[in-house]
């Protein structure tokens, strides 16, 4: 079996590769990356690394030839419309190369009423796969817990969580847990062909999140939300990204980020690491 992992040098991609190295033989792993020079450590480990660009169908055809299971991690390009041709090209390339199973790694704020600026892409990808010439599975990740670790010092300084979420709740999953579920799904034909939403076992109001972060950090952190517009200005790096990020929390205020499922345990056989345990393990006071 050949398992091809796209975007393998990205933040999630690296976690997926690390999990694949635990679960698979090296000769079963293939990496599809835009810049092979960034994957030199994988080449040194004996992994087959191939250059492929989501805007170049021929490069993907060459990189993905002989693939049994393709783990497709989208680019981080924005606005949403940029990712649509990338994905269309990817579907065409997968069909041409005879990929047997396609695992799309998406996001859970893709509801039709979601104001998140990237929701349109994820909704498009979900429905586009239904007409593709291969079998597929969809994994939708909850909010990543990982960014909370480097963000916590700023929250300590502010003495407040400031997400414009009002009284709504948010669910999380760590990239490490997501990667474990992705690889186990890739290896488990009996579980394939379905849509899964990966979350921890509970969600949090922003006040509950602030209390948890206070406990983890040893500093008092309250909840003092800014407006969507203020949030967009505060985090507008790179330029234009602030509006996209703010729209995510606007979606959260409408209940688009509060989903909780048992799908992680269905795939892996265990509960996802809870947020407090994750933060306690990874945050250094």
């Amino acid at each position: 079996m050949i398992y091809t992992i796209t975007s393998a040098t990205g933040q999630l991609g690296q976690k997926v590769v690390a999990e694949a190295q635990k679960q698979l033989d090296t000769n079963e792993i293939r990496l599809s990356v835009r810049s092979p020079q960034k994957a030199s450590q994988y080449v040194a480990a004996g992994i087959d690394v191939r250059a492929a660009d989501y805007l170049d169908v021929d490069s993907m055809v060459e990189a993905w030839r002989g693939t049994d299971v393709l783990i497709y991690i989208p680019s981080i390009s924005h606005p949403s419309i940029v990712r649509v041709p990338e994905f269309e090209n990817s579907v065409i390339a997968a069909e041409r190369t005879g990929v047997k199973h396609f695992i799309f790694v998406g996001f859970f704020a893709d509801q039709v009423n979601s104001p998140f600026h990237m929701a349109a892409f994820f909704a498009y990808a979900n429905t586009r796969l239904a007409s593709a010439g291969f079998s597929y599975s969809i994994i939708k990740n909850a909010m990543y817990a990982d960014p909370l670790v480097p963000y916590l010092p700023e929250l300590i300084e502010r003495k407040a969580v400031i997400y414009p979420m009002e009284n709504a709740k948010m669910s999380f999953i760590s990239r490490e847990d997501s990667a474990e579920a992705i690889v186990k799904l890739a290896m488990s034909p009996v579980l394939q062909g379905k849509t899964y939403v990966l979350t921890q076992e509970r969600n949090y109001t922003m006040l509950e999140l602030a209390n948890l972060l206070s406990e983890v950090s040893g500093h008092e952190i309250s909840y003092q939300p800014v407006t969507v517009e203020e949030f967009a200005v505060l985090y507008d790096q790179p330029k234009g990204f602030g509006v996209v990020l703010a729209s995510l929390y606007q979606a959260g205020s409408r209940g688009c980020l509060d989903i909780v499922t048992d799908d992680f345990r269905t795939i892996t056989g265990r509960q996802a690491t809870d947020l407090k345990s994750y933060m306690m393990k990874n945050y250094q006071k």
Side-chain angles (χ1 to χ4, degrees):
M1 294 282 287
I2 298 296
Y3 299 85
T4 296
I5 304 165
T6 76
S7 298
T9 57
Q11 290 182 311
L12 177 60
Q14 291 181 67
K15 300 287 188 183
V16 174
V17 175
E19 185 64 28
Q21 288 177 295
K22 296 177 187 177
Q23 303 292 338
L24 301 169
D25 292 334
T26 299
N27 61 10
E28 294 182 292
I29 304 170
R30 182 185 297 169
L31 307 185
S32 169
V33 299
R34 187 171 62 178
S35 302
Q37 63 269 26
K38 294 182 179 180
S40 57
Q41 74 274 27
Y42 297 130
V43 175
I47 297 176
D48 184 1
V49 176
R50 301 189 182 187
D53 190 314
Y54 288 153
L55 293 176
D56 183 348
V57 173
D58 290 340
S59 72
M60 288 186 285
V61 168
E62 185 60 31
W64 299 353
R65 199 180 305 278
T67 295
D68 294 293
V69 179
L70 179 72
I71 298 172
Y72 184 90
I73 302 171
S75 74
I76 58 172
S77 305
H78 66 278
S80 184
I81 191 62
V82 176
R83 295 192 201 179
V84 173
E86 292 180 347
F87 190 70
E88 185 64 29
N89 288 340
S90 301
V91 170
I92 292 169
E95 289 176 330
R96 287 186 185 175
T97 54
V99 167
K100 295 181 176 63
H101 192 75
F102 190 114
I103 296 178
F104 175 69
V105 182
F107 186 59
F108 72 162
D110 58 358
Q111 302 92 332
V112 295
N113 66 333
S114 174
F116 178 40
H117 286 196
M118 300 308 301
F121 162 72
F122 290 113
Y124 158 79
N126 294 343
T127 53
R128 176 63 181 90
L129 286 168
S131 64
F134 43 74
S135 66
Y136 67 92
S137 303
I138 297 172
I139 277 187
K140 301 181 183 183
N141 285 313
M143 294 289 291
Y144 289 132
D146 309 52
L148 282 175
V149 176
Y151 189 36
L152 188 47
E154 179 181 333
L155 299 182
I156 293 170
E157 184 177 349
R158 289 183 178 277
K159 299 183 180 180
V161 170
I162 63 171
Y163 299 133
M165 287 272 292
E166 301 177 5
N167 295 319
K169 294 185 176 184
M170 188 186 300
S171 298
F172 294 91
I173 192 74
S174 70
R175 289 192 180 98
E176 186 173 12
D177 277 353
S178 174
E180 179 182 340
I182 289 167
V183 172
K184 288 194 174 179
L185 177 62
M187 298 172 63
S188 306
V190 69
L191 294 174
Q192 293 171 1
K194 299 178 182 178
T195 296
Y196 298 95
V197 180
L198 302 183
T199 74
Q200 296 168 357
E201 62 183 339
R202 60 157 296 184
N203 53 25
Y204 297 83
T205 65
M206 294 305 93
L207 181 57
E208 290 170 337
L209 178 61
N211 290 339
L212 184 151
L213 296 178
S214 296
E215 185 178 354
V216 169
S217 67
H219 295 267
E220 185 175 346
I221 299 173
S222 62
Y223 179 46
Q224 299 175 28
V226 298
T227 66
V228 170
E229 293 76 16
E230 289 170 332
F231 196 90
V233 172
L234 280 169
Y235 299 106
D236 197 31
Q237 276 305 321
K239 186 68 175 177
F241 184 68
V243 173
V244 177
L245 186 60
S247 73
L248 174 60
Y249 297 105
Q250 185 180 12
S253 70
R254 299 185 187 181
C256 297
L257 305 180
D258 66 357
I259 301 167
V260 173
T261 78
D262 204 33
D263 290 351
F264 179 85
R265 184 163 63 178
T266 296
I267 296 172
T268 66
R270 69 171 181 88
Q271 281 287 5
T273 304
D274 65 272
L275 186 60
K276 181 180 176 180
S277 297
Y278 176 83
M279 294 299 296
M280 294 293 286
K281 176 182 177 182
N282 291 282
Y283 176 69
Q284 302 298 318
K285 296 182 181 180

